[in-house]
Every structure is written in C-alpha cells, then in structure tokens.
Amino acid sequence: MKSFKVNEILSNAEIKAEVINAIKQGFIFIYPTDTIYGLGCNALNPDSVNKIRALKHAKHPFSVIAPSVDWIEKNLVVDYPEYLNKLPGPFTFILKKKEPEFLKEASAFDSLGVRIPDHPFTQIIQESGVPFITTSVNVSGENPITRINETPKSIWEHVDYVVYDGKLRGTPSTVIELTTDEKRILR
C-alpha cells in the first residue's frame, strides 16, 4: 500500500502522475472528500468495483464522483439543471441514466448517484477523466470514517492507495433524488 498527503500529490508532478495512472488502472483508494473519507476506484473497472462491494459487504448502489458537469449531462438525465450549480459541494444527486446498462456494477438500477466533492483531491480524480466510485470507508451499516486510523482492518488490508488529509468534518453528503417530478431529499 502507498500513502500520500493531499498536498504531496498536488505539489509533486511525479506523484500526481502516479496517482492519476493508478486511478485509471482501477487501484483501490481511501481518499478524503469534503465530508468523510471515501473508498473508491475507477467505476469503469468491474473487478475493482466488485472488490469494493465485497469489502463493504454492500448490496446497495454506489455513487460516483463525476469527471465533470459535462460528463453528468452527457450520461444522465438532468431535469433540474439548477442543482448542478451546487457542484462542487457536499451533495449527491440521484439521476436517471440515459442508458440503463451504464455503470451497472456501480448501480444495477436505472439511476445513479453523482457527486463532485469540494475538496482538492477531487481535482486529481477529475484529471483522470474517469468516473470514480465514492462510498464511505466502512462496512455497510457502520459509522462513516472521519479519521484514517478508524478504517476497519478488513478494508485497510485490501487498499492500494491511502490519501491523507487529517480529520474531516464527518457529515455524509446530502442525497437528493432528482429522477421524478418531485425532488426528494433522502439524507
């Protein structure tokens, strides 16, 4: 396992290139967001997505960090474009997929949660150009992680990269469903 501080990645071109390449290849990351620590990988890599699902014992759909707002508009139905103005920020928007099979390992449903966290590491993810799984670093049903040392050993042992940024604020993102005529706040 390799570990870096966010500032190390941002200030060192060689490390930054390594991390972007690792994201593209599907390595598993623990990383900071604007809310809590996330567990993620390239959402286009089914083996990596399924590995995260097994580590978390998760059956629920995963959300992704979008490479850009344009990517969201290209792949998802955006009936309420004014909500995209809240990005980057501590929000997850549930949107209908334009193609039902799109990122089916992340979400087997016809919708997908998308985020663009307001955190410097998000810039690195976006530079990779791929959607990135974003789920909390915990076993499903347990508390989210705000400090790296709280990571369950069963997850820690299977991670390829850890990106540190100290203690995070600890409140998961607000989840808003935008797939119907009604907008619903789910969390």
Side-chain angles (χ1 to χ4, degrees), residues 31 33-36 63-66 69 72 76 80 82-95 112-119 122 126 132 134-135 169 171-178 183-187:
Y31 62 94
T33 72
D34 53 358
T35 57
I36 58 178
S63 296
V64 299
I65 293 175
V69 171
I72 294 171
L76 304 167
Y80 303 98
E82 65 274 16
Y83 277 85
L84 298 184
N85 294 331
K86 296 180 179 287
L87 300 175
F91 301 96
T92 300
F93 299 123
I94 309 295
L95 300 167
L112 179 69
V114 291
R115 287 200 72 204
I116 299 179
D118 188 11
H119 190 279
T122 301
Q126 290 183 307
F132 193 77
T134 184
T135 185
R169 84 181 180 145
T171 305
S173 64
T174 300
V175 179
I176 303 173
E177 183 177 18
L178 301 173
K183 299 171 278 279
R184 298 185 309 154
I185 296 177
L186 303 178
R187 177 182 72 208

Side-chain angles (χ1 to χ4, degrees), residues 10 14 24 29 46 64 76 78 80 90 96 102 112 135 139 155 165 176:
L10 294 172
E14 189 175 308
K24 289 178 181 180
F29 281 76
V64 299
L76 304 167
V78 182
Y80 303 98
K96 188 172 176 61
F102 180 66
L112 179 69
T135 185
V139 174
I155 292 175
D165 196 29
I176 303 173

Side-chain angles (χ1 to χ4, degrees), residues 93-167:
F93 299 123
I94 309 295
L95 300 167
K96 188 172 176 61
K97 298 176 187 178
K98 288 185 177 177
E99 297 293 328
E101 294 296 306
F102 180 66
L103 294 180
K104 68 180 179 180
E105 286 79 17
S107 173
F109 298 100
D110 66 351
S111 60
L112 179 69
V114 291
R115 287 200 72 204
I116 299 179
D118 188 11
H119 190 279
F121 187 67
T122 301
Q123 298 166 15
I124 305 301
I125 293 169
Q126 290 183 307
E127 284 185 46
S128 76
V130 299
F132 193 77
I133 293 294
T134 184
T135 185
S136 56
V137 181
N138 59 346
V139 174
S140 289
E142 305 220 349
N143 290 329
I145 304 301
T146 58
R147 291 184 173 104
I148 289 289
N149 64 355
E150 298 170 340
T151 303
K153 187 177 180 184
S154 62
I155 292 175
W156 186 264
E157 295 173 337
H158 299 282
V159 171
D160 302 302
Y161 283 81
V162 176
V163 179
Y164 292 95
D165 196 29
K167 184 181 185 309

